[in-house]
Amino acid sequence: MGKQVWKPGNMLYPLPAAMVSTADKSGNTNILTIAWTGTVCTNPPMVYISVRPERYSYHMIEESGEFVINLTTEKLARAADLCGVRSGRDIDKWRECRLTASPAQTLDHAPCIEEAPVNIECRVVKKEELGSHHMFLAEVTAVQVDDLYLDEKGKFELNRTGLLAYSHGEYMGLGKKLGTFGYSVRKKKESGKKKRIQRKK
């Protein structure tokens, strides 16, 4: 078995197929699907999105300095795809995808997508012109979560929402759980039988 060496390119997968909602200061809104997004910092909470300048939403984000990252699910796969391949110049994506714009709690212009299980409200702090894409670095100002996925103790069960991922041109469900954070070094609990034997000794 061998490996081929390819020219430099983006092969960091899987990624979120996030729907980003934004607006300009005149009240025009749009949704674009972005995979080039991620966490930058925990404290303060910061994220980024990278957008091509020719995208219809680019100048809305630039003007208002706001956007919302809306996590997508398997049920939202068609909407996520359409919002990534069609332009808001040509269609009303909200109507076409039957999505509902709901108010953000901390932003003045950009709306949230009501159907998404998580809405991450963001305010731009810096723009970096990197090449084909410009990166908007933003601080998270609030997070809204769907209380449908809260358990009896109030814990948010994000992985029960059916999250959608994007990998090498394909949309994927996340599949089965393989472990939890730190499970590789966590000590296994002794079985009840073994404990009883030890006590008898």
Side-chain angles (χ1 to χ4, degrees):
M1 182 181 73
K3 290 189 175 180
Q4 297 181 6
V5 179
W6 292 358
K7 66 179 182 180
N10 294 316
M11 194 60 77
L12 182 61
Y13 294 112
L15 295 165
M19 290 193 289
V20 173
S21 48
T22 189
D24 61 22
K25 291 183 178 180
S26 299
N28 300 303
T29 65
N30 192 47
I31 307 167
L32 71 159
T33 299
I34 285 183
W36 299 166
T37 181
T39 298
V40 174
C41 185
T42 301
N43 188 19
M46 299 188 75
V47 295
Y48 79 92
I49 59 172
S50 290
V51 186
R52 290 181 181 270
E54 59 268 25
R55 295 289 294 268
Y56 179 63
S57 292
Y58 177 90
H59 296 291
M60 292 185 180
I61 299 169
E62 190 176 45
E63 181 181 315
S64 69
E66 300 176 356
F67 60 86
V68 179
I69 298 174
N70 305 276
L71 299 191
T72 54
T73 63
E74 293 179 26
K75 291 181 180 179
L76 292 169
R78 181 185 178 280
D81 183 63
L82 188 143
C83 289
V85 299
R86 298 291 298 275
S87 174
R89 296 185 183 94
D90 305 321
I91 64 168
D92 181 341
K93 297 181 185 179
W94 297 95
R95 183 174 61 188
E96 185 74 19
C97 297
R98 298 179 180 178
L99 296 173
T100 308
S102 61
Q105 297 301 304
T106 59
L107 306 179
D108 299 319
H109 306 285
C112 299
I113 297 175
E114 181 67 26
E115 289 77 11
V118 176
N119 316 106
I120 305 169
E121 301 179 19
C122 305
R123 197 177 301 277
V124 177
V125 298
K126 188 178 182 181
K127 182 184 76 171
E128 288 283 352
E129 299 184 7
L130 301 173
S132 63
H133 291 67
H134 294 178
M135 182 183 72
F136 291 98
L137 183 65
E139 185 169 355
V140 176
T141 56
V143 178
Q144 296 188 40
V145 300
D146 190 338
D147 58 15
L148 177 66
Y149 299 101
L150 297 177
D151 67 13
E152 63 278 0
K153 295 182 179 179
K155 179 184 176 182
F156 183 57
E157 298 183 313
L158 176 60
N159 294 326
R160 194 162 57 85
T161 65
L163 290 171
L164 186 69
Y166 178 78
S167 181
H168 203 47
E170 298 178 334
Y171 301 102
M172 316 284 290
L174 293 189
K176 65 180 181 179
K177 181 175 75 174
L178 302 178
T180 57
F181 179 76
Y183 84 100
S184 62
V185 295
R186 193 174 296 124
K187 291 182 179 180
K188 294 181 179 179
K189 292 183 179 180
E190 293 180 318
S191 67
K193 184 177 180 181
K194 186 176 181 181
K195 286 181 181 179
R196 288 194 298 271
I197 292 174
Q198 288 176 339
R199 281 198 294 267
K200 287 179 180 179
K201 290 180 179 180

